[in-house]
Amino acid sequence: MEGGSMAALARLQARLSGLREEYYRRNRSIDEDRKIEYKAAVKIQSWFRGCRVRAYLRHLNKMATFIQKWWRGYRSRRYFLKMVEIQKRWRGYYVRKYIHNYYELKKYLETVSMNNEFVRNELQQYTEMKENEEKRKDLEKKEKEKQYQARKMHYLLSTEQIAGIYNSPFRKSPDPMELLLRKSKPLSHKRQQMKSPFTSELYDWPTCRRPPTFSTAEPLPPIGRQKPQGPFRDTAEVLRQRYKPLEPTLRVAASINSPLEKAREEMKMEEWRNRVHDNEFLPFSSYHKNEKYDPSICRSGKYGQETYGIKHFREVQPKKWIAGKDFQTVSPSIVLFEKLGKTYSRTGQIV
Amino acid sequence: MSQRQVLQVFEQYQRARTQFVQAVAELAARPQNIETLQSAGVMSLLRPLLLDVVPTIQQTAALALGRLANYNDDLAEAVVKGDILPQLVCSLSEQNRFYKKAAAFVLRAVGKHSPQLAQAIVQCGALEMLVICLEDFDPGVKEAASWALGYIARHNSELSQAVVDAGAVPLVVLCIQEPEIALKRIAASTLSDISKHSPELAQTVVDAGAIAHLAQMILNPDAKLKRQVLSALSQIAKHSVDLAELVVEAEIFPVVFTCLKDSDEYVKKNGATLIREIAKHTPELSQLIVNTGGVAAVIDCIGSCRGTVRLPGIMMLGYVAAHSENLSMAVIVSKGIPSLCACLTEEHEDHIKAAAAWALGQIGRHTPEHARAVAESNVLPTLLAMYMDIHSSEDLQIKTKKALKNILQKCTYLPALEPLLHDAPPNIMKHIVGQFSKVLPHDSKARRLFVTTGGLKKLQEIQAEPGSLLQEYINTINNCYPEEIVRYYSPGYSEILLERLENYHPVS
C-alpha cells in the first residue's frame, strides 16, 4: 500500500498549494472582519451597560421623588390641619355674624311684627274713617230727602185756626216734622219741570249728560184736518213763507268796508311777517332807563366772554402753512377781510 | 196732484221710517223680543236704513243693530256676513258724534263674542277708524271707541298686537287722564286687556307712560275704577321681573294696602292679585313687600272675605314663604298660619283648599322650627283627612300630599305626629315613622310619651315589607325599647301568653 499512500501524498501535495492559499485567504478574511466584529461587540456591550445604568438611575430617581413626596406631604399635613382649624373658626364666625345671624333675625322679625301692627292700625283707622264717611253721606242724603219732602208738603203746616196733622192738640210739643215744615220754604213751580233726561231707555250712556237732540229738518204739517173754510191760503204755504230762512245777497252778507278791510289786513300781515321782533320802538331814552341788560347766548355762557374778537384777532402763523400761496377762492371774497395785515403794516411790522 | 200732497207722501214715509227704527231699537233692548225680531228678518230691514238721508234714522238704526249684535253671536255673525261693517266704517269719519258712538257700539257688540268675529272687524279696517274716534273731543265717543278696542284686544295676542299697531296705546293713555270717571274706567280696562297677553305688549303699554297715571288713580274713591286700575297693573307686573320692578317704582306701596280694606270685594281681590304678581318673581321683591307690612294687610284681607276672593291672597302668602326661610318666618310671625287653617276648614271649593294646603306646605318646609309652627296649629290631621277623602279632586289630593310630605320631612314635634300614625296610608306613614326614628333614640321623655299614648302599639301593627325603608325605621324604633315592652305590644301577644298558659303544667 505504499502506492496508495504515495498517490494520496501526491494528491495532498497537489492540494497543498491550494490549501495554503485557502489558509491565507481564510485568515485574511477573518482578520478583515475581526476589527469590525470587535467594534460591533464593543458597541453592543457598551449600549447594554448604558441601559442598565440608566434603568438604575431612573429607579433611584423614582425612589428619591417618592421619599421627598412623602416627607413633604407629611410636613404640610401638619400645617394643613392647623390651617383647617383656622378656616373653620373663621367661617363659623362669619356665617354666624353676617349670614345666619340669629340675633339679627330675631330683631328683624320683631321689627316686622311691629311694622305689621302699625300697618294694621293704620288700615283699621282708614276703614273706620271710610265707614264714618259713608254713614255721614247716608245721613246727609236722608236729611236732604226729608227737607225736600217738607218743602213739597208745605201745605200741611198748621195755621192759627186749624192745627195741622203733625201738630195734634193732644201732644205736648209739636212733631219734629211740624218744626221742619215751619222752617222750610215752599217749592216754586219752576222746579218741578226739571226731570231727569234719562227717562227713556234709548239714551243710556253714562257720559252723555244731555240726551242727543236729533234735529228734524222741518216741522211736519198736521194731517187729516179739515181744510178751514174761507179764503185762507194753504197752511203749509203760509208756514213756509213765515219760517223761510234768510237769504242775504252778497252785498248784504259781506261787510261794508270789506275790500278795504281785507287789503288792510293783508298789509298788516305782510309787515308782521317781515319784522324781526314785535317790540315797539320807543324813541325816548326815558323808556329804556330801567331796562336790565340781557346778555346774548354767547356772552351769557359760563365760560365768560371770549377773548377772541375783543383782545386779539385772527393771528397769522406762517410756520404752519403748507404752501406759500393762499387758497383759490371760488366765490368772491369780502374786500374788507382781504385787507387784513396789508393796509398799513404787517401786524406791527413794516411792510 | 198738488205739491203739498206729493210732499205729504214723503213726509209720511219719513215718519214711518223713524217710528219703525225707534220701535225696533226699543224692542231690541229687551232680550225676550230678540228672537222674534230675528225671525221677522230685522237685519235685512235695518241695513238700508243705515244709509238713510235723515241722520236720526241712521243713528237709531245703528243703535238697534248694536243691541241686536250684543245679544248673541249668531246675530253678530249675521251683521258681519251682511257686509254692514264696511258701510259703518266708511261713514264713521264724516258723521257726527252720536253716529260715531252708535257705530262704535256696534263694533264692540260684534267683537266681543269670539276671536273670529273680532278678526273680521280688524280685516275690514275698523281699527284705524276707532283710533280716529279716540282723538275726538266728545268723551262719549272716546269711551265707546276704547271699549270696542278693549273687547277686540281681549281675545288673543295677535288681535292685541293689531290694536297696538294701529297706534291706539298712546291715545288710550291720554284717555285715562281725562276727568270723566266712566272714560277712565274703560280706558283702564282696555289697557289691562292689551297688556295681559305677552311681555312685549305690556312693555309697549309701559313705554307709553301708563304706569304713572294708573298708580295715581289707585287713590280714586270710585270702586269700579279701582278694580280696573289694579287689574291693569297686575297684568303688567305679572310678565317679568323688570316690569314688576317698574310697577313697584311707581310707589304703589303702601297705598295699595288701603285697597285691601275697601268695601268692594273685587277691589280687594284685584289688590291681592297685584301684590301676588309682584311677590312671586324674586325674594327681593317679596322682602320689600314684607318690609312695608304687606303680609299683615293680606292676612287681614283673607280673614275678612269669603270665597274665590281669598284665592290671590292665599297664593301670595305661599309665594312669599316659598322664597326663603326668613320670609317664611316673617309670615309665621305675622300670624299667617291661623288664617290659612281657617281657609282650609271653612271653604267648600276644592281649588281654594288646594291653594291653602300648598301655602302651608311652603311655609313649613324650610326648617324644623317652621314645621313645628305649622304642626302646632293642628292642621296636619285636616290635611291628612283631605288627602284620604275620596270626594276631593285630584289636584287637591296631590297638593295635600306634597304639603304633608314637605312638612313631615322636617317636623320633629312629636305630639303633632301622634294622631297621624293611626290614619295614615303607607306612603305617608313612611315619613312619619322616619321622623319618629330620628327623634326617639335621643329623647327619653319622648320615648315615654310614645309608649303611653299608644304609639308603640300602633307601630307594631304596621305591616311593612322586610328590607323596605319603613321596616328599617320600625327596627330603629324597636331598638330604643327593651325587648319585653316591644313583645308586649306586638299583636297577638295575648294569644301567645294564653298558649303558654295552656302548655304550662304547674309543679305540684
Side-chain angles (χ1 to χ4, degrees), chain A residues 43-57:
Chain A
K43 206 169 200 119
I44 290 174
Q45 288 169 2
S46 73
W47 181 79
F48 181 70
R49 288 196 185 111
C51 269
R52 277 184 55 186
V53 165
R54 274 196 286 275
Y56 182 60
L57 280 176

Side-chain angles (χ1 to χ4, degrees), chain B residues 355-394:
Chain B
W358 169 78
L360 282 168
Q362 295 302 326
I363 294 179
R365 73 179 166 101
H366 297 279
T367 71
E369 293 298 322
H370 298 79
R372 182 192 176 124
V374 175
E376 269 175 354
S377 65
N378 240 345
V379 76
L380 294 176
T382 328
L383 282 175
L384 191 63
M386 274 185 212
Y387 175 56
M388 311 277 287
D389 189 7
I390 35 172
H391 295 297
S392 331
S393 65
E394 237 190 83

Side-chain angles (χ1 to χ4, degrees), chain A residues 56-247:
Chain A
Y56 182 60
L57 280 176
R58 247 203 308 276
H59 174 76
L60 280 182
N61 203 11
K62 260 200 267 181
M63 291 298 118
T65 319
F66 183 72
I67 294 174
Q68 286 171 1
K69 201 165 60 169
W70 182 87
W71 170 248
R72 285 187 189 135
Y74 170 75
R75 288 289 297 274
S76 45
R77 253 191 299 278
R78 281 194 351 214
Y79 280 133
F80 180 68
L81 290 171
K82 286 207 198 107
M83 214 75 77
V84 165
E85 174 79 28
I86 297 176
Q87 285 177 15
K88 205 164 60 166
R89 289 188 188 227
W90 162 252
R91 285 197 183 121
Y93 166 75
Y94 185 74
V95 154
R96 266 192 298 277
K97 178 149 186 203
Y98 292 110
I99 302 180
H100 285 134
N101 194 341
Y102 177 70
Y103 300 104
E104 280 289 324
L105 188 64
K106 241 173 107 167
K107 263 199 289 183
Y108 172 70
L109 290 172
E110 275 170 15
T111 34
V112 163
S113 32
M114 264 175 28
N115 203 9
N116 285 345
E117 278 304 312
F118 178 67
V119 165
R120 277 183 174 134
N121 282 340
E122 293 272 302
L123 288 176
Q124 189 69 22
Q125 281 175 15
Y126 173 78
T127 31
E128 275 166 19
M129 193 182 73
K130 281 205 87 167
E131 271 177 30
N132 287 344
E133 248 190 59
E134 275 195 34
K135 275 195 210 133
R136 206 166 39 85
K137 270 204 210 141
D138 272 337
L139 275 174
E140 269 181 27
K141 231 178 105 171
K142 283 203 193 99
E143 276 298 318
K144 269 185 88 168
E145 188 63 34
K146 265 197 194 163
Q147 279 179 9
Y148 180 66
Q149 289 294 326
R151 287 186 76 183
K152 266 178 83 169
M153 298 195 290
H154 191 258
Y155 48 85
L156 294 176
L157 185 61
S158 54
T159 57
E160 290 270 345
Q161 293 287 350
I162 307 176
I165 55 172
Y166 291 115
N167 194 6
S168 161
F170 300 113
R171 286 174 67 104
K172 281 190 278 228
S173 64
D175 197 79
M177 194 64 188
E178 174 72 23
L179 297 170
L180 201 56
L181 283 170
R182 283 191 200 155
K183 268 191 277 180
S184 48
K185 224 170 57 166
L187 276 178
S188 57
H189 285 294
K190 270 187 295 195
R191 276 188 61 133
Q192 284 173 5
Q193 280 166 14
M194 195 192 79
K195 271 194 313 182
S196 157
F198 292 94
T199 40
S200 64
E201 275 177 30
L202 271 171
Y203 314 115
D204 53 352
W205 293 313
T207 49
C208 179
R209 294 285 158 232
R210 303 168 285 105
T213 49
F214 293 165
S215 57
T216 50
E218 286 165 355
L220 302 172
I223 36 162
R225 224 185 52 177
Q226 301 292 349
K227 193 170 171 207
Q229 245 184 357
F232 294 120
R233 274 173 62 205
D234 191 32
T235 328
E237 273 181 34
V238 169
L239 288 173
R240 227 176 295 128
Q241 184 187 342
R242 194 182 292 172
Y243 296 118
K244 194 169 155 192
L246 179 67
E247 289 165 20

Side-chain angles (χ1 to χ4, degrees), chain B residues 473-485:
Chain B
Y473 291 146
I474 295 181
N475 290 343
T476 326
I477 298 180
N478 286 342
N479 291 340
C480 304
Y481 291 98
E483 223 188 296
E484 302 93 51
I485 304 188

Side-chain angles (χ1 to χ4, degrees), chain B residues 426-437:
Chain B
N427 50 351
I428 308 271
M429 185 67 81
K430 186 166 60 169
H431 297 289
I432 304 178
V433 177
Q435 288 301 109
F436 273 111
S437 74

